[in-house]
Amino acid sequence: MSVRVVVGGAVIDGGRLLAARRSAPPELAGRWELPGGKAEPGETPDQALVRELREELGIEVEPLEALPGEWPLKPGYVLQVWTAALRSGTPRPLQDHDELRWVTPETAGEVDWLEADRPAVAEALRRLVPDTAG
């Protein structure tokens, strides 16, 4: 069985990470995620991320790097997460979301993240903190 990639965007703006609250489907509504969506056939994950965030949030992003690992979703789907820099636009919940929030490492625990997003969120938040071990 082939596996379809769902790409999530860890959209970073300075020391903040963008969180999006699902409005659909009903079983996910009210939970928070890294915004994104399914890669279309022939589309690379980074191309899918740019398209999905344009459609869902009305922003232009520059994909930076894929976070290590992938996380199983429903059967036949895996989540891959990329960090992305906000290049233009103000994020707005246009599709599939009813609220957006910028979180920091200190406030990220205040939202109810989807289980599949939690490891990627933790990894993305680590990238917000300057490396002081030098």
Side-chain angles (χ1 to χ4, degrees), residues 2 8 15-16 19 30 40 46-47 55-56 63 68-69 72 76 85 92 95-96 103 106 108 118-119 121 123 126:
S2 69
R16 309 181 303 170
E40 298 297 338
D46 57 328
Q47 290 168 336
E55 291 172 1
E56 288 188 3
R92 301 181 315 281
Q95 287 182 19
D96 301 325
V103 299
E106 297 76 31
R118 290 175 189 265
V121 167
E123 187 64 36
R126 279 195 283 280

Side-chain angles (χ1 to χ4, degrees), residues 1-7 37-40 70-80:
M1 177 172 101
S2 69
V3 175
R4 188 140 177 221
V5 171
V6 176
V7 64
K38 298 177 195 76
E40 298 297 338
E70 58 181 33
W71 298 273
L73 299 172
K74 61 188 179 188
Y77 292 87
V78 296
L79 175 66
Q80 295 179 0

Side-chain angles (χ1 to χ4, degrees), residues 59-132:
I59 58 174
E60 295 298 323
V61 299
E62 177 187 347
L64 300 174
E65 67 173 320
L67 295 181
E70 58 181 33
W71 298 273
L73 299 172
K74 61 188 179 188
Y77 292 87
V78 296
L79 175 66
Q80 295 179 0
V81 175
W82 285 68
T83 58
L86 178 63
R87 290 298 178 224
S88 67
T90 299
R92 301 181 315 281
L94 303 176
Q95 287 182 19
D96 301 325
H97 301 102
D98 62 3
E99 187 180 336
L100 302 176
R101 183 182 298 179
W102 289 103
V103 299
T104 64
E106 297 76 31
T107 62
E110 296 172 7
V111 301
D112 183 16
W113 295 99
L114 292 170
E115 278 73 20
D117 285 57
R118 290 175 189 265
V121 167
E123 187 64 36
L125 290 171
R126 279 195 283 280
R127 284 163 161 67
L128 298 180
V129 180
D131 181 18
T132 55

